[in-house]
Amino acid sequence: MKRPVAEEQFELGVCYYPEHWPESMWEDDYRRMREMGFTIIRIAEFAWSIFEPEEGVFSFEMFDRAIDLAHSYGLKVVLGTPTATPPAWLTHKYPEVLNVTYEGVTLQHGMRRHYNYSSPKYRELCARITDRMATHYGNHPGVVGWQIDNELNCEINEFYSESDHIAFREWLQHKYVTLEELNKAWGAVFWSQSYSDWSQVYLPRPTPVTKQPNPHQALDEKRFISDNTISFAKIQADILRAKAPNQWVTTNGIFGHLDSHEMTDELLDFISYDSYPQFSSIFYNASEENPLRDRNWGLSLSVVRSISPNFCIMEQQSGPGGWVNRMDMPSPKPGQMRLWTYQSIAHGADMVLYFRWRTATMGNEIYWHGINDYHNQPNRRVREAAQIGQELTQAGKSILGTRVQANIAIVRDYDNEWDGEYDVWHGPFMWQSNKEWFKALQRKHIPNDVLFLRKNTTLKELARYDVLIYPHPAIMRDETASLLDEYVQQGGKLIFGCRTGYKDQQGQCYMRPFPGAAKDLCGITVEEFTMVNGTRLPTSIRWESDPDHLIGADSFNDILHVEADSVEVMGTYATDYYAGKPAVTRNLRGDGEVWYYGAVFNEQAAVRIIDHLGLQSPAAAWLELPEGVELQIRQDDTSSYTFLLNYNEEPADLVLKEDKRDLLTGEVISGTHRLEGFGVLVLY
């Protein structure tokens, strides 16, 4: 039985580092936290050298005092297992625990996450510190939960130590049993790569062409890293379940080469996430048209929700962010911290902890600012956090446990994401199309989920949605195609983009007409295909419903051929040697329909399909919104709350055709209402 994120109240809190501050400051910090409406803190995730200053010598006194004092002020405590930062004595005595780069360079002590998951000695020492901490704090009345490690696979998500090569070899032997099957899966006959003994098999290593391993080996590498990471986390999760059965277990972050769905299903009560919306603002593509910037972070939060419908934000951005030599996020403007907090809540968070209470005065993160500045005097972020605390003290319990409602899902899967890291013929397209669909849906005020297709996904899970958008699933098993066909036959609408269905689960191309496993679903074949890049002029599509308006056919073009009478051509290519050939098709199948879009999606193409399908905002009957305001709905069997978030600095005018009340202020909202810049309403 999994424990909920929060049960009695919405939990608002902060990450705190008592080891960074004189003990004389703790009580004042805790007092002010409570005055601001905070109820929970996270501590200790980087404190291994304090808990175990020498090998086998354990010390809990400092954290005992910190936790006892927090408990006396009514603050709940989340304890992090400190395995993200092995201490110097450990890496010095046992250098085999250190990670190694692809090029064979050993990564030394001096930062964090400098270890590998495969080292038997590291697993042993991690188990021991976790066991000692769980034994000591497993029944502490102030400790409510545990965070395993910190941000698994952050900073680095590839591992090439000797222990990793050995573990990979064992993983492959379990998966394939024989070298004959391994050689077949990896297409090893190509370039004479066949193996005749297991000792010849390694993780990818440097080759004459920079970082260019066998692509099927590279895909299995990612699968191995995920399984290995989960097995590393399982050691700690099992100890915590045994020694602290009344406390929940989570971990934070969603990073590469990790099946976070499987990890959560097997090990955790719920997933936690670290929400920094300005990452979307500072790392967006400068050539992107009409970007959402920080609003685009909702797409990441939708991924979190696909793992745990209600989740924890273990680190919520509260100030400007940066390390001394990388990242330089500006300070949130007045109101943005509150906006981003409610962005997380609107997407499903039932617990939010800010990073961090006070900005560090030492170390790599001296510019990763917290709520309090170095001087520890009142500032506008403190006042803004206190406002949020006051609001959630009153309103949080009403929101608690309600779930986000969406009838449309953007579909993803791990195999295609991992294969697409290496394969430039489909990998980059998924990120563009997902973002463009999200932009279109957001500006139409249509909430969406993200749905990860997995081997255990059922028709019931798919049937929750009226529309599934699965842009570029190059890898598609026949079983997946069959499940999607069931979804369509019972009335679902399914949308594919170019490069669909032409690979099997090993990443090898089918010897079938493309789109391979999806051919019957789509009722078309791909006559020819081509990249559209710097060596070619951009191409465009002429839609049958609006022949005078051309839309760009970005990045890649599948030239389609109609195979079934049930197929309607919705658009044709308007340029290049394939002008007039089908570019967009719609296949009526059973009670549903399947679209095939022969290019990479842009926002204009997504809007065209949205309009053709007649999709509307769930609040269209009573609410008119400008494009710059996000709409999300959380509800349960008895209540429904409409979140409205203004991502612009300027006010936005809303028109309500029904009277509603704002949960945060109690104010009745009706008629034309001006929502302030970065403003938030929660209407019911």
Side-chain angles (χ1 to χ4, degrees), residues 291-364:
L292 288 176
R293 299 183 185 269
D294 57 334
R295 183 175 174 182
N296 194 65
W297 201 249
L299 183 55
S300 299
L301 292 167
S302 300
V303 174
V304 185
R305 191 171 65 248
S306 76
I307 303 169
S308 298
N310 297 96
F311 52 85
C312 166
I313 296 294
M314 199 63 80
E315 298 179 13
Q316 176 71 56
Q317 183 172 359
S318 64
W323 292 12
V324 292
N325 67 333
R326 59 188 274 249
M327 296 181 286
D328 51 358
M329 291 187 283
S331 182
K333 296 182 178 183
Q336 279 192 310
M337 183 173 74
R338 179 173 177 264
L339 173 71
W340 296 335
T341 302
Y342 284 106
Q343 179 188 44
S344 293
I345 297 170
H347 281 271
D350 276 356
M351 182 188 304
V352 174
L353 289 82
Y354 293 105
F355 187 84
R356 48 189 282 165
W357 173 248
R358 185 166 41 246
T359 307
T361 60
M362 82 294 277
N364 279 54

Coordinates of all heavy atoms in Angstrom, one line a residue, residues 291-364:
P291 N 8.0 31.3 -28.2 CA 8.2 30.3 -27.1 C 7.4 30.6 -25.9 O 6.9 31.7 -25.6 CB 9.7 30.5 -26.7 CG 10.0 31.9 -27.1 CD 9.2 32.2 -28.3
L292 N 7.1 29.5 -25.1 CA 6.4 29.6 -23.8 C 7.2 30.0 -22.7 O 6.7 30.4 -21.6 CB 5.6 28.3 -23.5 CG 4.5 27.9 -24.4 CD1 3.9 26.6 -23.9 CD2 3.3 29.0 -24.3
R293 N 8.5 29.8 -22.8 CA 9.5 30.1 -21.7 C 9.1 29.4 -20.4 O 8.9 28.2 -20.4 CB 9.7 31.6 -21.5 CG 10.2 32.3 -22.8 CD 10.5 33.8 -22.6 NE 10.9 34.4 -23.9 CZ 12.1 34.6 -24.3 NH1 13.1 34.1 -23.5 NH2 12.4 35.2 -25.4
D294 N 9.0 30.1 -19.3 CA 8.7 29.4 -18.0 C 7.4 28.7 -18.0 O 7.3 27.7 -17.2 CB 8.8 30.4 -16.8 CG 7.9 31.6 -16.9 OD1 7.5 32.0 -18.1 OD2 7.5 32.1 -15.9
R295 N 6.5 29.1 -18.8 CA 5.2 28.4 -18.9 C 5.4 27.0 -19.4 O 4.6 26.1 -19.1 CB 4.2 29.2 -19.7 CG 2.8 28.6 -19.8 CD 1.9 29.5 -20.6 NE 0.6 29.0 -20.9 CZ -0.3 29.6 -21.6 NH1 0.0 30.8 -22.1 NH2 -1.5 29.0 -21.8
N296 N 6.4 26.8 -20.3 CA 6.7 25.5 -20.8 C 7.1 24.4 -19.8 O 7.0 23.2 -20.0 CB 7.8 25.6 -21.9 CG 7.9 24.3 -22.7 OD1 7.0 24.1 -23.5 ND2 9.0 23.6 -22.6
W297 N 7.4 24.9 -18.6 CA 7.7 24.0 -17.5 C 6.6 23.1 -17.1 O 6.7 22.0 -16.6 CB 8.2 24.7 -16.3 CG 9.0 23.9 -15.3 CD1 8.7 23.5 -14.1 CD2 10.3 23.4 -15.5 NE1 9.7 22.8 -13.5 CE2 10.7 22.7 -14.4 CE3 11.3 23.5 -16.6 CZ2 11.9 22.1 -14.2 CZ3 12.5 22.8 -16.4 CH2 12.8 22.1 -15.3
G298 N 5.4 23.5 -17.5 CA 4.2 22.7 -17.3 C 4.3 21.3 -18.0 O 3.7 20.3 -17.6
L299 N 5.0 21.3 -19.1 CA 5.2 20.0 -19.9 C 6.0 19.1 -19.0 O 5.7 17.9 -19.0 CB 5.8 20.3 -21.2 CG 6.0 19.1 -22.1 CD1 4.7 18.4 -22.4 CD2 6.6 19.5 -23.5
S300 N 7.0 19.6 -18.4 CA 7.8 18.7 -17.5 C 7.0 18.3 -16.3 O 7.1 17.1 -15.9 CB 9.1 19.5 -17.0 OG 9.9 19.9 -18.0
L301 N 6.2 19.1 -15.7 CA 5.3 18.8 -14.6 C 4.3 17.7 -15.0 O 3.9 16.9 -14.2 CB 4.6 20.0 -14.0 CG 5.6 21.0 -13.3 CD1 4.9 22.3 -13.1 CD2 6.1 20.4 -12.0
S302 N 3.9 17.8 -16.3 CA 2.9 16.7 -16.8 C 3.6 15.4 -16.8 O 3.0 14.3 -16.6 CB 2.5 17.1 -18.2 OG 1.8 18.4 -18.2
V303 N 4.9 15.3 -17.1 CA 5.7 14.1 -17.0 C 5.7 13.6 -15.6 O 5.5 12.4 -15.4 CB 7.1 14.3 -17.6 CG1 7.9 13.0 -17.4 CG2 7.1 14.7 -19.1
V304 N 5.9 14.4 -14.7 CA 5.9 14.0 -13.2 C 4.6 13.4 -12.9 O 4.5 12.4 -12.2 CB 6.2 15.2 -12.3 CG1 6.3 14.8 -10.9 CG2 7.5 16.0 -12.7
R305 N 3.5 14.0 -13.3 CA 2.2 13.6 -13.0 C 1.9 12.2 -13.7 O 1.0 11.5 -13.2 CB 1.2 14.6 -13.5 CG -0.2 14.4 -13.1 CD -1.1 15.6 -13.4 NE -1.3 15.8 -14.8 CZ -0.8 16.9 -15.5 NH1 -0.1 17.8 -14.9 NH2 -1.0 17.0 -16.8
S306 N 2.6 11.9 -14.8 CA 2.4 10.6 -15.4 C 2.9 9.5 -14.5 O 2.5 8.3 -14.6 CB 3.0 10.6 -16.8 OG 4.5 10.4 -16.6
I307 N 3.8 9.8 -13.6 CA 4.4 8.9 -12.7 C 3.6 8.8 -11.4 O 3.2 7.7 -10.9 CB 5.9 9.2 -12.3 CG1 6.7 9.4 -13.6 CG2 6.5 8.3 -11.4 CD1 8.0 10.0 -13.4
S308 N 3.3 9.9 -10.8 CA 2.5 10.0 -9.6 C 1.4 11.1 -9.8 O 1.8 12.3 -9.9 CB 3.3 10.4 -8.4 OG 4.3 9.4 -8.1
P309 N 0.1 10.8 -9.9 CA -0.9 11.8 -10.2 C -0.8 12.9 -9.2 O -1.1 14.1 -9.5 CB -2.2 11.0 -10.0 CG -1.8 9.6 -10.4 CD -0.4 9.4 -9.8
N310 N -0.5 12.6 -7.9 CA -0.2 13.7 -6.9 C 1.3 13.4 -6.5 O 1.7 12.3 -6.2 CB -1.1 13.6 -5.7 CG -2.5 13.9 -6.1 OD1 -3.3 12.9 -6.3 ND2 -2.9 15.1 -6.2
F311 N 2.1 14.5 -6.4 CA 3.5 14.4 -6.2 C 4.0 15.4 -5.3 O 3.3 16.3 -4.9 CB 4.2 14.4 -7.6 CG 3.9 15.6 -8.4 CD1 4.5 16.8 -8.3 CD2 2.9 15.5 -9.4 CE1 4.2 17.9 -9.1 CE2 2.6 16.6 -10.2 CZ 3.2 17.8 -10.0
C312 N 5.3 15.3 -5.0 CA 6.0 16.3 -4.1 C 6.9 17.1 -5.0 O 7.6 16.5 -5.8 CB 6.7 15.6 -3.0 SG 7.9 16.6 -2.1
I313 N 7.0 18.4 -4.8 CA 8.0 19.2 -5.3 C 9.1 19.4 -4.2 O 8.8 20.1 -3.2 CB 7.6 20.6 -5.8 CG1 6.6 20.5 -6.9 CG2 8.7 21.5 -6.2 CD1 7.2 19.9 -8.2
M314 N 10.2 18.7 -4.3 CA 11.2 18.7 -3.2 C 12.0 19.9 -3.3 O 12.6 20.3 -2.3 CB 12.0 17.4 -3.3 CG 12.8 17.1 -2.0 SD 11.7 16.8 -0.6 CE 11.2 15.1 -0.9
E315 N 12.1 20.5 -4.5 CA 12.9 21.8 -4.6 C 12.1 22.7 -5.6 O 12.0 22.4 -6.7 CB 14.3 21.6 -5.1 CG 15.2 20.7 -4.3 CD 16.5 20.5 -4.9 OE1 16.9 21.2 -5.8 OE2 17.3 19.6 -4.4
Q316 N 11.5 23.8 -5.0 CA 10.8 24.7 -5.9 C 11.7 26.0 -5.9 O 12.1 26.5 -4.9 CB 9.5 25.1 -5.3 CG 8.7 26.1 -6.0 CD 8.2 25.7 -7.3 OE1 7.4 24.7 -7.4 NE2 8.5 26.4 -8.4
Q317 N 11.9 26.5 -7.1 CA 12.8 27.7 -7.3 C 12.2 28.8 -6.5 O 11.0 29.2 -6.6 CB 12.9 28.0 -8.8 CG 13.8 29.2 -9.0 CD 14.1 29.4 -10.5 OE1 13.6 28.7 -11.4 NE2 14.8 30.4 -10.8
S318 N 13.1 29.5 -5.8 CA 12.6 30.6 -5.0 C 13.4 31.9 -5.3 O 13.0 33.0 -4.9 CB 12.7 30.3 -3.5 OG 14.1 30.1 -3.1
G319 N 14.6 31.7 -5.9 CA 15.4 32.9 -6.2 C 16.2 32.7 -7.5 O 16.0 31.7 -8.2
P320 N 17.1 33.7 -7.8 CA 18.0 33.5 -8.9 C 18.9 32.3 -8.7 O 19.1 31.9 -7.5 CB 18.8 34.8 -8.9 CG 18.7 35.3 -7.5 CD 17.4 34.9 -7.0
G321 N 19.3 31.6 -9.8 CA 20.0 30.3 -9.6 C 21.3 30.3 -10.4 O 21.3 30.8 -11.5
G322 N 22.3 29.7 -9.8 CA 23.5 29.5 -10.6 C 24.6 29.0 -9.7 O 24.7 29.3 -8.5
W323 N 25.5 28.3 -10.3 CA 26.8 27.9 -9.6 C 27.8 28.9 -9.9 O 27.6 29.8 -10.8 CB 27.2 26.5 -10.1 CG 26.3 25.4 -9.6 CD1 25.1 25.5 -9.1 CD2 26.6 24.0 -9.7 NE1 24.5 24.3 -8.8 CE2 25.5 23.3 -9.2 CE3 27.7 23.2 -10.2 CZ2 25.4 21.9 -9.1 CZ3 27.6 21.8 -10.1 CH2 26.5 21.2 -9.6
V324 N 29.0 28.8 -9.3 CA 30.0 29.8 -9.5 C 30.5 29.9 -10.9 O 31.0 30.9 -11.4 CB 31.2 29.6 -8.5 CG1 30.8 29.9 -7.1 CG2 31.8 28.3 -8.7
N325 N 30.4 28.8 -11.7 CA 30.9 28.8 -13.0 C 30.0 28.3 -14.1 O 30.3 28.1 -15.2 CB 32.2 27.9 -13.1 CG 31.9 26.4 -12.9 OD1 30.9 26.1 -12.2 ND2 32.7 25.5 -13.4
R326 N 28.7 28.1 -13.7 CA 27.7 27.7 -14.7 C 26.3 28.1 -14.3 O 26.1 28.2 -13.1 CB 27.8 26.2 -15.0 CG 27.5 25.3 -13.8 CD 27.8 23.9 -14.1 NE 26.7 23.2 -14.6 CZ 26.0 22.2 -14.0 NH1 26.3 21.9 -12.8 NH2 25.0 21.6 -14.6
M327 N 25.5 28.4 -15.2 CA 24.1 28.7 -15.0 C 24.0 30.1 -14.4 O 24.7 30.4 -13.4 CB 23.3 27.7 -14.2 CG 23.2 26.4 -14.8 SD 22.3 25.2 -13.8 CE 23.5 24.8 -12.5
D328 N 23.2 30.9 -15.0 CA 23.1 32.3 -14.5 C 21.6 32.8 -14.7 O 21.3 33.7 -15.4 CB 24.0 33.2 -15.2 CG 24.0 33.1 -16.7 OD1 23.2 32.3 -17.2 OD2 24.7 33.9 -17.4
M329 N 20.7 32.1 -13.9 CA 19.3 32.5 -14.0 C 19.0 33.8 -13.3 O 19.5 34.0 -12.1 CB 18.5 31.4 -13.4 CG 18.5 30.1 -14.3 SD 17.3 28.8 -13.7 CE 18.2 28.2 -12.3
P330 N 18.3 34.7 -13.9 CA 18.0 36.0 -13.2 C 17.1 35.8 -12.0 O 16.4 34.7 -11.8 CB 17.3 36.8 -14.3 CG 16.7 35.8 -15.2 CD 17.7 34.6 -15.2
S331 N 17.0 36.8 -11.2 CA 16.1 36.8 -10.1 C 14.6 36.8 -10.5 O 14.2 37.5 -11.5 CB 16.3 38.0 -9.2 OG 15.5 38.0 -8.1
P332 N 13.8 35.9 -9.9 CA 12.3 36.0 -10.2 C 11.8 37.4 -10.0 O 12.2 38.0 -9.0 CB 11.7 35.0 -9.3 CG 12.9 34.1 -8.9 CD 14.1 34.9 -8.9
K333 N 11.0 37.8 -10.9 CA 10.4 39.2 -10.7 C 9.3 39.0 -9.6 O 8.8 37.9 -9.3 CB 9.8 39.7 -12.0 CG 10.8 39.9 -13.0 CD 10.3 40.5 -14.3 CE 11.4 40.7 -15.3 NZ 10.8 41.3 -16.6
P334 N 8.9 40.2 -9.0 CA 7.8 40.1 -8.0 C 6.6 39.4 -8.5 O 6.0 39.7 -9.5 CB 7.5 41.6 -7.7 CG 8.8 42.3 -8.0 CD 9.4 41.5 -9.2
G335 N 6.2 38.4 -7.8 CA 5.0 37.6 -8.1 C 5.4 36.2 -8.8 O 4.5 35.3 -8.9
Q336 N 6.6 36.1 -9.4 CA 6.9 34.9 -10.1 C 7.1 33.7 -9.2 O 6.7 32.6 -9.6 CB 8.1 35.1 -11.0 CG 7.8 35.8 -12.3 CD 9.0 35.8 -13.3 OE1 10.1 36.1 -12.9 NE2 8.7 35.4 -14.5
M337 N 7.7 33.9 -8.1 CA 7.8 32.7 -7.2 C 6.4 32.2 -6.8 O 6.2 31.0 -6.8 CB 8.6 33.1 -5.9 CG 8.8 32.0 -5.0 SD 9.9 32.4 -3.6 CE 8.8 33.3 -2.5
R338 N 5.5 33.1 -6.5 CA 4.1 32.6 -6.2 C 3.5 32.0 -7.4 O 2.9 30.9 -7.3 CB 3.3 33.8 -5.8 CG 1.8 33.5 -5.5 CD 1.1 34.7 -4.9 NE -0.3 34.5 -4.6 CZ -1.3 34.8 -5.5 NH1 -1.0 35.4 -6.6 NH2 -2.5 34.6 -5.2
L339 N 3.7 32.5 -8.6 CA 3.2 32.0 -9.9 C 3.7 30.6 -10.1 O 2.9 29.6 -10.3 CB 3.6 32.9 -11.0 CG 3.3 32.3 -12.4 CD1 1.8 32.3 -12.7 CD2 4.0 33.1 -13.5
W340 N 5.0 30.4 -9.9 CA 5.6 29.1 -10.1 C 5.2 28.0 -9.1 O 5.1 26.9 -9.4 CB 7.1 29.2 -10.1 CG 7.7 30.0 -11.3 CD1 7.0 30.3 -12.5 CD2 8.9 30.7 -11.3 NE1 7.8 31.1 -13.3 CE2 9.0 31.4 -12.6 CE3 10.0 30.9 -10.4 CZ2 10.1 32.2 -12.9 CZ3 11.0 31.7 -10.8 CH2 11.1 32.3 -12.0
T341 N 4.9 28.5 -7.9 CA 4.4 27.6 -6.8 C 3.1 27.1 -7.2 O 2.8 25.8 -7.2 CB 4.3 28.3 -5.5 OG1 5.6 28.8 -5.1 CG2 3.8 27.4 -4.4
Y342 N 2.2 27.9 -7.7 CA 0.9 27.5 -8.1 C 0.9 26.8 -9.4 O 0.0 26.0 -9.7 CB -0.1 28.7 -8.1 CG -0.5 29.1 -6.7 CD1 0.0 30.2 -6.1 CD2 -1.4 28.2 -6.0 CE1 -0.4 30.6 -4.8 CE2 -1.7 28.6 -4.7 CZ -1.2 29.7 -4.1 OH -1.6 30.0 -2.8
Q343 N 1.9 27.0 -10.3 CA 2.1 26.2 -11.4 C 2.3 24.7 -11.0 O 1.7 23.8 -11.6 CB 3.3 26.7 -12.2 CG 3.6 25.9 -13.5 CD 4.9 26.3 -14.1 OE1 5.9 26.5 -13.5 NE2 4.9 26.4 -15.5
S344 N 3.2 24.5 -10.0 CA 3.4 23.1 -9.6 C 2.1 22.5 -9.0 O 1.8 21.4 -9.2 CB 4.5 23.1 -8.5 OG 5.7 23.5 -9.1
I345 N 1.4 23.3 -8.2 CA 0.2 22.8 -7.6 C -0.9 22.6 -8.6 O -1.6 21.5 -8.6 CB -0.3 23.8 -6.5 CG1 0.7 24.0 -5.4 CG2 -1.7 23.4 -5.9 CD1 0.4 25.1 -4.4
A346 N -1.0 23.5 -9.6 CA -2.0 23.3 -10.6 C -1.8 22.0 -11.4 O -2.7 21.3 -11.9 CB -2.0 24.4 -11.6
H347 N -0.5 21.5 -11.5 CA -0.2 20.3 -12.2 C -0.2 19.1 -11.3 O 0.2 18.0 -11.8 CB 1.1 20.5 -12.9 CG 1.0 21.3 -14.2 ND1 0.7 20.7 -15.4 CD2 1.1 22.6 -14.4 CE1 0.6 21.7 -16.3 NE2 0.8 22.8 -15.8
G348 N -0.5 19.2 -10.0 CA -0.7 18.0 -9.2 C 0.1 17.9 -8.0 O 0.0 16.9 -7.2
A349 N 0.9 18.9 -7.6 CA 1.7 18.8 -6.4 C 0.8 19.0 -5.1 O -0.1 19.9 -5.1 CB 2.7 19.9 -6.4
D350 N 1.0 18.1 -4.2 CA 0.3 18.2 -2.9 C 1.3 18.6 -1.8 O 1.0 18.6 -0.6 CB -0.3 16.9 -2.5 CG -1.7 16.7 -3.1 OD1 -2.2 17.7 -3.8 OD2 -2.3 15.7 -3.0
M351 N 2.6 18.8 -2.1 CA 3.6 19.2 -1.2 C 4.7 20.0 -2.0 O 5.1 19.5 -3.1 CB 4.3 17.9 -0.5 CG 5.3 18.3 0.5 SD 6.2 16.8 1.1 CE 4.9 15.8 1.7
V352 N 5.1 21.1 -1.5 CA 6.0 22.0 -2.1 C 7.1 22.4 -1.1 O 6.7 23.0 0.0 CB 5.4 23.2 -2.8 CG1 6.5 24.1 -3.4 CG2 4.4 22.7 -3.9
L353 N 8.3 22.2 -1.3 CA 9.4 22.7 -0.5 C 10.3 23.6 -1.4 O 10.7 23.2 -2.5 CB 10.3 21.6 0.1 CG 9.6 20.7 1.2 CD1 8.8 19.6 0.6 CD2 10.7 20.1 2.0
Y354 N 10.6 24.8 -0.9 CA 11.4 25.7 -1.6 C 12.9 25.3 -1.5 O 13.3 24.8 -0.4 CB 11.2 27.1 -1.1 CG 9.8 27.7 -1.5 CD1 8.9 27.8 -0.5 CD2 9.5 28.0 -2.8 CE1 7.6 28.2 -0.8 CE2 8.2 28.5 -3.1 CZ 7.3 28.6 -2.1 OH 6.0 29.0 -2.4
F355 N 13.6 25.6 -2.5 CA 15.1 25.5 -2.4 C 15.6 26.9 -2.4 O 15.4 27.7 -3.3 CB 15.7 24.7 -3.6 CG 17.1 24.5 -3.4 CD1 17.6 23.4 -2.7 CD2 18.1 25.3 -4.0 CE1 18.9 23.1 -2.5 CE2 19.4 25.1 -3.8 CZ 19.9 24.0 -3.1
R356 N 16.2 27.3 -1.4 CA 16.5 26.8 -0.1 C 16.1 27.8 0.9 O 15.7 28.9 0.6 CB 17.9 26.4 0.0 CG 18.9 27.5 -0.4 CD 20.3 27.0 -0.5 NE 20.9 26.9 0.8 CZ 22.1 26.3 1.1 NH1 22.7 25.6 0.1 NH2 22.6 26.3 2.3
W357 N 16.2 27.6 2.2 CA 15.9 28.6 3.3 C 16.7 29.8 3.2 O 16.2 30.9 3.2 CB 15.9 27.9 4.7 CG 15.7 28.9 5.8 CD1 16.6 29.4 6.7 CD2 14.5 29.6 6.1 NE1 16.1 30.3 7.6 CE2 14.7 30.4 7.2 CE3 13.2 29.6 5.5 CZ2 13.8 31.2 7.8 CZ3 12.2 30.4 6.1 CH2 12.5 31.2 7.2
R358 N 18.0 29.6 3.1 CA 18.9 30.7 3.0 C 20.1 30.4 2.0 O 20.5 29.3 2.0 CB 19.5 31.0 4.4 CG 20.4 32.3 4.5 CD 20.7 32.7 6.0 NE 20.9 31.6 6.8 CZ 20.1 31.2 7.8 NH1 19.0 31.9 8.1 NH2 20.4 30.1 8.6
T359 N 20.4 31.4 1.3 CA 21.5 31.2 0.3 C 22.8 30.8 1.0 O 23.2 31.4 2.0 CB 21.7 32.5 -0.5 OG1 20.4 32.9 -1.0 CG2 22.7 32.3 -1.6
A360 N 23.5 29.8 0.4 CA 24.7 29.4 1.0 C 25.8 30.5 0.8 O 25.9 31.2 -0.2 CB 25.2 28.1 0.3
T361 N 26.7 30.6 1.8 CA 27.8 31.5 1.8 C 29.1 30.9 1.3 O 30.1 31.6 1.2 CB 28.0 32.1 3.2 OG1 28.3 31.1 4.1 CG2 26.8 32.9 3.6
M362 N 29.0 29.5 1.1 CA 30.2 28.8 0.6 C 29.9 27.8 -0.4 O 28.7 27.4 -0.5 CB 31.0 28.2 1.8 CG 30.4 26.9 2.3 SD 28.8 26.9 3.0 CE 29.2 27.4 4.7
G363 N 30.9 27.3 -1.2 CA 30.6 26.2 -2.0 C 30.2 26.6 -3.4 O 30.1 27.8 -3.8
N364 N 29.9 25.6 -4.3 CA 29.6 25.8 -5.7 C 28.3 26.6 -5.9 O 28.1 27.2 -6.9 CB 29.5 24.5 -6.4 CG 30.9 24.0 -6.8 OD1 31.8 23.9 -6.0 ND2 31.1 23.7 -8.1

